[in-house]
Amino acid sequence: MHTKLVAGNWKMNGLSGDLVEIERLKDGMDAADCEVLVCPPATLIARMHDMAIGSELLIGAQDCHAALSGAHTGDLSAAMLADAGASHVILGHSERRADHGETDALVRTKAQTALDRGLTVIVCVGETEAERDEQRTLDVIGAQLSGSLPDGCLAAHTVIAYEPVWAIGTGRTPTLEQIAEVHGFLRRTLSERFGNEGQEMRLLYGGSVKPGNAAEISALSDVDGALVGGASLKADEFLQIIRAFSDQ
Ligand code: PEP
């Protein structure tokens, strides 16, 4: 049994006025029997980090640059994010793969840089609807996994998120059998490559997780938490998901 991790990805949402949700989250988190992480836009990391002091709430980032520092206007390094208070960074989210042309090789370099700077990485993989229809889901995910993870990853600092692209923000989710199949495949593949560390790495499911489906997803073996987009923006809804994952 792994300690579950419920991570919220705020994406490009959140202004100063939304910090009230973090107060509400902290107030409702007492009974949480899992780790809780919020990844806001970079502009809010430092303030959320300060608000989280004295609580169990973890704060993370949504991306980092592959280089340590240098002439990369508008980008943020892993060291800057850690300096602002991030403990985790999401990498290879399908929106970055699609919007910014991020390849597995780039995600792997980013992951190495982030790990070297002491961040825990949440590396995202997932198939498009066309790839699932063509019955290529496991091939696609296997290639993403092997291409996006550096050698020597340790369970303490590496989390994998399975996010079917077609389930993100759509209200559609795979069947429980489909989620279980992919998570079982992830576990086997990670164990073959990383041995015991691969057994221990946490595997999150992401894609339209809501209060209404969180409990049944959490009950699946090899589901060690969730990556939550839209439903993480409001503390009330996010807390219901956190409770569902705490009850398992
Ligand atoms: C995500 O983008 O990581 C995500 C899971 O989004 P949503 O929960 O809104 O589908």
Side-chain angles (χ1 to χ4, degrees):
M1 270 295 274
H2 305 108
T3 304
K4 298 212 175 188
L5 169 64
V6 179
N9 173 14
W10 277 26
K11 310 194 188 193
M12 199 171 72
N13 299 292
L15 300 172
S16 304
D18 298 301
L19 291 171
V20 66
E21 297 300 332
I22 298 304
E23 288 299 347
R24 292 182 183 137
L25 189 56
K26 281 194 313 173
D27 289 347
M29 253 179 60
D30 289 350
D33 189 20
C34 62
E35 289 181 10
V36 180
L37 168 73
V38 174
C39 300
T43 48
L44 294 181
I45 289 174
R47 276 184 287 171
M48 276 198 195
H49 169 263
D50 289 351
M51 291 173 75
I53 290 171
S55 77
E56 300 284 313
L57 179 63
L58 300 165
I59 305 300
Q62 299 173 16
D63 179 49
C64 71
H65 198 275
L68 293 178
S69 63
H72 302 287
T73 302
D75 283 315
L76 296 169
S77 72
M80 290 169 179
L81 298 169
D83 187 48
S87 55
H88 293 62
V89 60
I90 299 169
L91 294 173
H93 190 283
S94 62
E95 286 155 12
R96 292 209 60 87
R97 291 179 186 262
D99 297 354
H100 299 270
E102 294 197 0
T103 61
D104 292 333
L106 179 64
V107 175
R108 181 185 184 125
T109 309
K110 288 185 177 200
Q112 188 64 66
T113 306
L115 290 166
D116 290 346
R117 285 293 168 275
L119 293 172
T120 293
V121 297
I122 301 176
V123 175
C124 302
V125 297
E127 81 286 2
T128 63
E129 187 159 30
E131 289 163 345
R132 178 164 282 279
D133 289 346
E134 292 160 10
Q135 302 187 348
R136 296 201 294 125
T137 298
L138 298 187
D139 289 345
V140 167
I141 290 170
Q144 288 175 334
L145 205 57
S146 86
S148 302
L149 291 180
D151 291 332
C153 283
L154 300 175
H157 299 289
T158 311
V159 178
I160 309 299
Y162 167 50
E163 298 208 308
V165 178
W166 52 273
I168 294 178
T170 60
R172 298 167 59 205
T173 51
T175 64
L176 296 176
E177 291 71 24
Q178 287 170 328
I179 297 174
E181 181 192 28
V182 173
H183 279 241
F185 170 76
L186 290 174
R187 180 67 70 213
R188 287 193 301 282
T189 307
L190 291 166
S191 301
E192 278 164 22
R193 180 165 169 199
F194 298 106
N196 194 45
E197 295 296 325
Q199 283 287 347
E200 296 300 323
M201 281 174 196
R202 283 181 292 183
L203 309 179
L204 312 186
Y205 168 76
S208 296
V209 176
K210 306 281 178 214
N213 60 20
E216 59 186 14
I217 292 172
S218 176
L220 294 171
S221 64
D222 285 322
V223 172
D224 307 310
L227 182 53
V228 185
S232 71
L233 293 172
K234 293 291 174 206
D236 281 357
E237 212 178 356
F238 196 38
L239 282 166
Q240 291 178 56
I241 294 170
I242 290 165
R243 284 187 202 111
F245 276 83
S246 298
D247 287 343
Q248 301 299 322

